[in-house]
Amino acid sequence: MTTPPYPPDSPYPSYPEDLERPGLVRTGRSTFVRPIRPEDADRLVAFVGTLSRATLAYRSLGPVVRARDDVIRRGAHVDYLNELALVALAGDEIAGLVRYVRDPEEPEHAEVTFTIRDDHQSEGFGRLLLEHIAAAARARGIRVLEADVLADNARMINVFLGSGYRTEAGPPGQIIHFEIAVDPQAQAVARAERREQTAVRRSLKPLLEPRSVAVIGANRDPLTIGHEIVANLLRGGFAGSVFPVNPRAEQIAGARAYASVRDLPEPPDLALVAVRAEAVPGVVRECAEVGVKAVVVVSTGFGETGAEGRAGELELARFARASGMRLVGPNCMGVVNTTPAARLAATFSPALPTPGRVAMSSQSGPLGLAVLDFARRLRLGFSGFVSVGHAVDVSTDELLQWWEDDPGTSVILLHVETFGDPRRFARVARRIAPRKPIVAVHPGHADSAVSSLFAQSGVIRTRSLQELFDVALLLAHQPPPPGNRVAVITNAGGPAALTVGACAASGLCVPALGERTRQTLRPALASHADVSNPIDLTPTATAAHYRQALDAALADDGIDAAVVLFMPPLADKPDEVASAILDAAAARPDKPVLASFLGGAGVADLLHRGDLVVPTYTFPEAAATSLGHAAAYQTWRSTPAGVVPDLAGVDAERARALIASCAPGPVPTAVAAELLASYGIAVRGGEPGPGPDAFLTVRADPVFGPVVAFGLTGDYADLMADVTHRVTPLSDRDAREMVRSLRATPLLDGRTGGPGVDLAALEETVLRISAMVEDHPEIEALELRPVRLLPPGDGVAVAHATIRLADNTAAGGSL
């Protein structure tokens, strides 16, 4: 029998705020899940009072027994350890409740019961609460949840059988006994992700495809935010009803105005709120009362003003979630959806995007204005644009899940600052990126660590907004190149030399053309043209020369892409050259073609022909940089991902007990050693090995969550910055690449003449660290230093370890 993390008679240290979580049920309805509190006693009595006789019979496994008020009230008092109850809220009322009680004879087992209010049954509250109670039980040393269910309670039986957790059911009878193992099995995780994606998409439908929209704070004066939102909705061709709300106006932008959201002829799906910050909570409450499903808070005056404003916006998000609403913002510029099913321009931006296949999420309201204006000038079409503002509820990773299955979106752009749930972002991004490229601009330092983390997740990281849109122009209109070999075609030598240098800097190469290609080109081009690579057509080149050169280059098996340079002052008829380029690109749609019409800005109108677009750039370096990003992305997409191995000798339950016995902050040295031992990592002294010592660290990154770093101690890391980084969970391929990608790797694998070190044992240690921090998100930081690297077959020796636990209550219930 495993010792529970706390003695059975000891109270849990405090109300566990870390269990407060927003949630989405299968229907897309939002809710807020939290532990029950003593002050919920009246709410609990009201909840039980709404239950039908049938529900009570299923709950009590037999005849309906009249519930006593004092007994119900006692259910609001739990110790959060041996007894825990979670409630899912619908407004101020309880929609569902789950409770476990630990078995004193078998502390790793607990009895679990579920109660869902009649009017919320079949919505998915049972499965949502099972996922939450399973995670809470695991953290408290409970391995198995047991439940007795009446044989005709099909809904509850389906919840258990469809959860993905390993279940054992007793023999058929009037009552079926279930035992549910709460370890996060791969099947359970996969099913939870599918349920999450379905719920997210349904919850965002009123936001991105509403049938009616209210603008609260609409204004009669043009050029005000409230007026421009109404005007854009009407100008943008929104097919549903638009309801301006202003108590002192009869009409705004030609649409009838209403004094209050309560006066509207129907509850709108979506409400945009553009009122003073102090009035926002009251407006959102009114929206909840009339049945609004999604709210976009454009108003400022919240988190950007300090701690009080941040607390106010978090409370706003909690209320919206509990009321079944989704909330975007505050401090945002709205939502745009150009797909034919929506045609929604719910924004005050004066520049509205043209329809296209690019979607974007931006965390900056003011920046969004510049983004939409710039995209329009580039003729880069958007399928959707969402300014998430402070992102207290609707987040970037949820928008990714919306666009993941949107047939009108082929490229996703992100302006990334922070994430509420970095682990979920990394998981979702890695799932989507193999099918749809994700391009992000991140305001952090352009260091190799952050870039490698984005690359591991399949996200293309750019250094500026200009570069973000340069890459988007390519990926929105051309395929990623199958390799990194580029042909450069030009009518001027100087720009070609710049392009070759930019290609080299972007990880591309400009190889010599094949002999057959050169034989094809020699008779077709002028005698003084250079048919190597770059292909210099000389200033006298005609459109026919460009067509012949591009056709031959794209037909060359040793070429994966082409960059075409054209200097208009050196040749006449640029429209004919553009037409020739389009013809050649259309003939080989499997290889991307990019152009730079030097002296022309942005996307040249000449290089558009229906759905066929050849992206063109003012300067050739931008074309090379964009192509380099696309080639690296294609390499990532086509590379095997590896597998996350099942490691022997792991005692996760023991580790949970050790973590639960420690306060937030540094873990005592002896406990840290025992914690590592529970994952098969021994902390022991020993003499240095034949090579240099190493270190392994884990830190919590605000974007990616747990990040593992590996390097050699001393000057290798301090002076040469020779350190590799990866995001958890690590696959076997990740671990192998990590320990073998240092510039100092020859010191480890024996290439310098020595015996080398046990790289296999080092890789396994990396995988064990990854598994530990994935299983236990309470681990905020970890450092193994020094790690003695021993000869092949002798493993590794961790000489010293430090571990730090996060304070889960510090976030104050943050969403």
Side-chain angles (χ1 to χ4, degrees):
M1 183 183 301
T2 302
T3 304
Y6 298 99
D9 58 347
S10 74
Y12 194 75
S14 62
Y15 172 81
E17 290 187 356
D18 60 299
L19 297 184
E20 292 186 346
R21 289 286 186 272
L24 292 171
V25 296
R26 177 180 51 79
T27 61
R29 177 191 175 92
S30 63
T31 183
F32 191 71
V33 179
R34 64 166 173 80
I36 203 164
R37 299 189 289 239
E39 56 266 33
D40 289 324
D42 289 340
R43 189 177 281 112
L44 190 58
V45 170
F47 169 69
V48 174
T50 67
L51 301 178
S52 68
R53 289 183 174 86
T55 296
L56 286 172
Y58 281 130
R59 172 65 180 80
S60 60
L61 303 180
V64 178
V65 178
R66 192 176 300 276
R68 290 176 45 188
D69 184 277
D70 60 332
V71 174
I72 297 173
R73 289 178 177 277
R74 280 203 297 272
H77 297 264
V78 297
D79 63 8
Y80 304 117
L81 173 66
N82 299 311
E83 182 179 9
L84 174 66
L86 303 177
V87 294
L89 299 178
D92 292 330
E93 300 176 340
I94 298 173
L97 179 145
V98 61
R99 182 188 305 271
Y100 79 63
V101 178
R102 192 191 298 268
D103 185 339
E105 300 298 323
E106 291 186 87
E108 291 184 343
H109 288 235
E111 181 184 3
V112 64
T113 56
F114 295 79
T115 311
I116 310 299
R117 207 170 73 187
D118 289 70
D119 55 340
H120 290 294
Q121 293 175 8
S122 299
E123 293 184 8
F125 277 92
R127 287 185 176 176
L128 176 70
L129 288 172
L130 174 58
E131 291 170 11
H132 282 252
I133 200 72
R138 281 197 305 271
R140 287 155 178 77
I142 293 170
R143 187 171 53 83
V144 177
L145 294 174
E146 300 185 26
D148 290 322
V149 183
L150 287 173
D152 62 345
N153 190 352
R155 287 174 177 167
M156 203 68 244
I157 291 171
N158 288 336
V159 166
F160 294 145
L161 296 180
S163 67
Y165 292 107
R166 288 184 292 112
T167 60
E168 293 184 8
Q174 184 179 0
I175 296 176
I176 302 176
H177 181 75
F178 280 92
E179 292 192 357
I180 304 115
V182 298
D183 285 335
Q185 300 295 312
Q187 186 180 32
V189 172
R191 291 188 180 181
E193 287 186 358
R194 285 197 297 271
R195 286 195 293 271
E196 176 191 83
Q197 184 187 8
T198 299
V200 164
R201 288 189 58 81
R202 287 175 175 168
S203 78
L204 295 183
K205 190 174 179 65
L207 171 71
L208 296 169
E209 294 181 355
R211 293 166 298 180
S212 54
V213 181
V215 181
I216 305 169
N219 199 300
R220 287 173 294 188
D221 298 331
L223 302 182
T224 58
I225 287 176
H227 183 279
E228 290 306 299
I229 293 173
V230 176
N232 278 339
L233 283 166
L234 298 174
R235 274 198 302 264
F238 179 61
S241 301
V242 177
F243 303 124
V245 176
N246 185 325
R248 293 180 295 278
E250 295 182 357
Q251 201 176 66
I252 293 174
R256 178 188 171 183
Y258 296 83
S260 164
V261 70
R262 292 192 178 93
D263 298 324
L264 299 180
E266 64 183 67
D269 283 345
L270 172 64
L272 284 97
V273 179
V275 300
R276 300 185 315 276
E278 56 269 25
V280 169
V283 169
V284 172
R285 184 170 292 276
E286 283 187 5
C287 288
E289 290 170 355
V290 302
V292 174
K293 297 181 178 67
V295 178
V296 174
V297 179
V298 176
S299 311
T300 60
F302 288 90
E304 74 276 13
T305 64
E308 185 176 348
R310 178 63 177 166
E313 66 186 19
L314 291 177
E315 184 55 39
L316 198 66
R318 290 191 194 95
F319 173 79
R321 277 286 193 167
S323 301
M325 295 190 301
R326 300 309 310 270
L327 186 146
V328 172
N331 192 15
C332 69
M333 58 170 286
V335 177
V336 176
N337 189 347
T338 69
T339 59
R343 297 184 63 81
L344 176 72
T347 176
F348 56 87
S349 171
L352 296 180
T354 56
R357 302 190 62 80
V358 176
M360 182 173 184
S361 168
S362 172
Q363 286 189 258
S364 170
L367 182 63
L369 295 172
V371 162
L372 291 182
D373 179 64
F374 186 58
R376 190 173 184 87
R377 286 189 282 115
L378 287 178
R379 288 189 59 180
L380 180 66
F382 275 63
S383 59
F385 178 88
V386 180
S387 169
V388 295
H390 294 168
V392 293
D393 179 28
V394 174
S395 60
T396 296
D397 55 76
E398 289 181 306
L399 293 170
L400 283 173
Q401 294 180 79
W402 174 271
W403 290 318
E404 177 180 7
D405 291 332
D406 177 20
T409 297
S410 58
V411 181
I412 302 171
L413 308 183
L414 306 177
H415 167 242
V416 182
E417 290 179 0
T418 59
F419 289 91
D421 189 341
R423 290 172 184 256
R424 185 166 65 174
F425 164 73
R427 187 187 75 231
V428 171
R430 281 196 261 190
R431 186 179 75 219
I432 297 173
R435 296 192 297 114
K436 295 185 179 183
I438 302 171
V439 190
V441 60
H442 178 54
H445 298 297
D447 58 272
S448 60
V450 175
S451 295
S452 67
L453 300 181
F454 273 104
Q456 183 199 354
S457 300
V459 178
I460 301 170
R461 187 199 184 185
T462 61
R463 298 181 292 271
S464 66
L465 282 170
Q466 176 70 62
E467 191 175 322
L468 177 87
F469 283 106
D470 287 343
V471 177
L473 276 174
L474 168 58
L475 294 175
H477 301 303
Q478 295 283 310
N484 70 339
R485 301 164 299 179
V486 182
V488 178
I489 301 170
T490 183
N491 64 348
L498 290 174
T499 306
V500 171
C503 285
S506 302
L508 305 169
C509 66
V510 183
L513 300 175
E515 181 57 33
R516 177 178 298 179
T517 303
R518 293 198 296 271
Q519 289 176 359
T520 300
L521 287 173
R522 284 192 187 103
L525 303 180
S527 59
H528 52 285
D530 186 347
V531 295
S532 54
N533 193 12
I535 305 171
D536 190 347
L537 303 178
T538 77
T540 62
T542 65
H545 292 144
Y546 269 95
R547 175 65 195 271
Q548 291 165 331
L550 189 51
D551 278 341
L554 293 176
D556 192 320
D557 291 338
I559 295 298
D560 302 305
V563 176
V564 183
L565 311 179
F566 178 70
M567 289 287 288
L570 300 181
D572 294 330
K573 301 179 180 179
D575 55 334
E576 294 183 3
V577 172
S579 181
I581 294 171
L582 287 169
D583 289 341
R588 288 302 303 257
D590 57 323
K591 294 184 179 182
V593 177
L594 296 77
S596 178
F597 274 37
L598 286 85
V603 177
D605 293 343
L606 299 175
L607 287 165
H608 282 252
R609 181 191 294 162
D611 293 334
L612 176 61
V613 177
V614 170
T616 183
Y617 302 86
T618 304
F619 298 109
E621 296 93 333
T625 300
S626 301
L627 193 56
H629 282 304
Y633 165 72
Q634 179 62 17
T635 298
W636 174 86
R637 190 166 68 166
S638 58
T639 300
V643 297
V644 178
D646 186 15
L647 300 167
V650 171
D651 188 348
E653 306 303 330
R654 179 58 180 159
R656 289 190 186 97
L658 291 166
I659 290 173
S661 70
C662 296
V667 172
T669 302
V671 177
E674 195 173 351
L675 181 57
L676 288 164
S678 67
Y679 274 79
I681 301 172
V683 178
R684 53 192 174 90
E687 296 297 322
D693 289 338
F695 65 87
L696 276 167
T697 67
V698 177
R699 62 177 175 83
D701 184 85
V703 173
F704 294 99
V707 173
V708 181
F710 167 71
L712 304 182
T713 58
D715 292 346
Y716 301 102
D718 298 339
L719 299 181
M720 300 170 59
D722 193 13
V723 181
T724 60
H725 302 80
R726 293 293 187 276
V727 183
T728 64
L730 298 181
S731 69
D732 52 359
R733 187 181 184 90
D734 290 329
R736 178 179 176 82
E737 291 177 350
M738 187 173 192
V739 303
R740 297 171 191 262
S741 61
L742 295 176
R743 294 192 297 277
T745 296
L747 297 175
L748 307 180
D749 60 13
R751 278 182 280 168
T752 58
V757 301
D758 196 336
L759 289 176
L762 180 57
E763 291 165 16
E764 183 177 322
T765 302
V766 171
L767 289 169
R768 290 181 180 277
I769 289 296
S770 170
M772 185 168 72
V773 298
E774 276 293 298
D775 290 347
H776 308 287
E778 304 91 337
I779 297 176
E780 182 180 61
L782 176 149
E783 181 171 5
L784 309 183
R785 185 192 296 262
V787 177
R788 309 290 193 196
L789 304 181
L790 305 178
D794 290 346
V796 298
V798 177
H800 183 70
T802 59
I803 297 175
R804 181 180 181 86
L805 301 181
D807 184 355
N808 286 327
T809 64
S814 156
L815 298 177

